């Protein structure tokens, strides 16, 4: 079972408002900042190499996103920030956007993984490809993801062996977004049955969730509890938003998702969350 329930961690997030530094891809900066603010955290978008160490020092958490951060300046920003997070003992997340798409992207993802993030969040294809480029032996299933650019062509269940291998090797939490989200520390897996398929039609939705995972890890006792709480908060908010008659498509879902991230109460979160905990 979880040490802390998601609704309790959400209350802590809103009380503490952790400053979350993001080396974020420029496609997702605006939405990620708004998601963090609506949920209860405080975002900061940073990419100047000169700021990476001192800004990480004053932050509560760090989120790294490979999406468009593939030029030398951005790569260096990610590496410097990861080193700083480790030095100052700040939790940090990695979103290996599009891992598997190109050799350069794969090499950068593998390089950042060697810094040992607190949590890795991606879609199934990205997680499967990440295990492959990190040269891990996956106990069962295929090693390589078959993503289409930054979009997944695999189901989250297909990525479970890769997620477990990554979690065990790097000592991190691995979260796989999909129709059913899968979160594992290598010894237990948590399945989140909330969420809307239409989220895949909103650019930056997954990137924003990765940043939210970092923010939650800053206030939770254990990283697993933080990541589960982040997923539950985000997906329950999407369910509540999608149920509103005003929501007709991705554009209106995007707006009302922000509203529900802000409005959802601990009681509503506990009432609507659908999670399943499986020991392995």
């Amino acid at each position: 079972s979880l040490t802390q329930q998601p609704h309790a961690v959400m209350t802590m997030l809103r009380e503490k408002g952790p400053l979350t530094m993001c080396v974020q891809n420029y496609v997702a900066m605006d939405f990620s900042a708004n998601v963090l603010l609506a949920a209860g955290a405080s975002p900061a978008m940073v990419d100047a190499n000169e700021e990476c160490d001192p800004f990480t020092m004053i932050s509560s958490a760090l989120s790294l996103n490979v999406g468009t951060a593939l030029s030398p300046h951005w790569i260096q920003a990610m590496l410097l920030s990861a080193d700083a997070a480790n030095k100052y003992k700040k939790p940090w997340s990695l979103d290996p956007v599009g891992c598997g798409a190109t050799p350069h992207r794969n090499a950068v993802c593998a390089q950042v993984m060697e810094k040992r993030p607190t949590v890795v969040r991606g879609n199934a294809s990205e997680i499967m490809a990440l295990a492959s480029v990190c040269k891990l032996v996956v106990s069962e299933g295929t090693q390589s993801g078959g993503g289409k650019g930054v979009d997944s062509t695999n189901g989250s269940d297909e990525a479970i062996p890769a997620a477990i291998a990554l979690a065990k090797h790097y000592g991190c939490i691995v979260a796989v977004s999909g129709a059913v989200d899968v979160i594992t520390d290598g010894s237990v897996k948590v399945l989140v049955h909330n969420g809307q398929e239409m989220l895949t039609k909103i650019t930056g939705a997954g990137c924003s969730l990765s940043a939210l995972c970092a923010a939650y890890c800053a206030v939770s006792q254990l990283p697993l509890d933080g990541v589960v709480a982040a997923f539950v908060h985000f997906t329950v908010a999407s369910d509540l938003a999608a149920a509103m008659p005003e929501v007709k498509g991705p554009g209106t879902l995007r707006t009302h998702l922000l509203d529900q991230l802000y409005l959802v109460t601990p009681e509503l979160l506990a009432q609507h969350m659908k999670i399943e905990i499986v020991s392995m």
Side-chain angles (χ1 to χ4, degrees):
S1 63
L2 298 172
T3 303
Q4 296 171 291
Q5 288 301 308
H7 66 275
V9 190
M10 183 180 75
T11 299
M12 294 176 63
L13 183 86
R14 289 172 169 175
E15 289 175 351
K16 296 185 177 182
L19 177 59
T20 306
M21 174 180 150
C22 304
V23 181
Q24 180 62 279
N25 80 71
Y26 47 74
V27 177
M29 280 184 182
D30 174 80
F31 192 55
S32 296
N34 281 310
V35 163
L36 287 169
L37 283 169
S42 178
M45 303 293 151
V46 176
D47 70 278
N49 288 179
E50 296 80 1
E51 283 196 313
C52 290
D53 186 288
F55 218 114
T56 304
M57 181 178 66
I58 64 171
S59 299
S60 298
L62 169 71
S63 175
L64 302 184
N65 187 294
V66 176
T68 54
L70 289 172
S71 60
H73 161 81
W74 285 90
I75 295 169
Q76 186 69 1
M78 288 193 292
L79 297 175
L80 288 170
S81 299
D83 283 340
N86 292 335
K87 178 170 68 172
Y88 300 121
K89 296 180 169 49
K90 305 297 176 75
W92 63 283
S93 66
L94 171 65
D95 191 325
V97 179
C99 187
T102 69
H104 178 57
R105 188 174 293 268
N106 294 347
V108 172
C109 288
Q111 188 177 11
V112 179
M113 279 300 295
E114 289 306 311
K115 303 294 183 181
R116 296 188 175 265
T118 310
V119 52
V120 179
R121 191 223 62 89
N123 63 41
S125 295
E126 290 163 346
I127 296 302
M128 292 164 70
L130 186 63
S132 179
V133 301
C134 291
K135 298 179 171 55
L136 300 186
V137 175
V138 177
S139 62
E140 55 187 89
T142 180
Q143 266 193 299
S144 58
K148 184 177 68 175
V150 300
D151 296 322
S152 183
T153 55
N154 299 95
S156 56
D157 58 329
E158 298 177 74
I160 291 174
I164 292 170
L166 286 164
K168 287 183 174 179
H169 183 81
Y170 291 101
C172 63
I173 306 300
V174 180
V176 189
S177 292
V180 176
D181 302 314
V182 180
I183 304 164
T184 184
D185 62 358
S187 60
V188 67
K189 62 183 178 183
V190 181
L191 308 181
V192 181
H193 295 275
N194 300 96
Q196 295 293 311
E197 190 275 337
M198 203 190 303
L199 287 170
T200 63
K201 304 300 182 184
I202 301 174
T203 188
C207 300
S208 303
L209 178 52
S210 295
L212 191 60
C213 286
Y216 262 99
C217 285
V219 300
S220 62
Q221 292 178 18
L222 297 174
L224 180 65
D225 297 337
V227 177
V228 171
F231 267 75
V232 168
H233 190 173
F234 192 85
T235 57
V236 167
S238 76
D239 290 342
L240 295 172
M244 302 181 72
E246 300 92 333
V247 172
K248 306 295 184 184
T252 43
L253 178 61
R254 185 183 192 272
T255 299
H256 287 284
L257 171 61
L258 292 175
D259 288 347
Q260 293 302 320
L261 282 167
Y262 177 77
L263 293 170
V264 65
T265 63
E267 293 75 21
L268 269 178
L269 202 73
Q271 177 185 339
H272 287 275
M273 75 173 187
K274 294 177 283 189
I275 65 172
E276 180 185 352
I277 302 172
V278 182
S279 298
M280 296 182 294

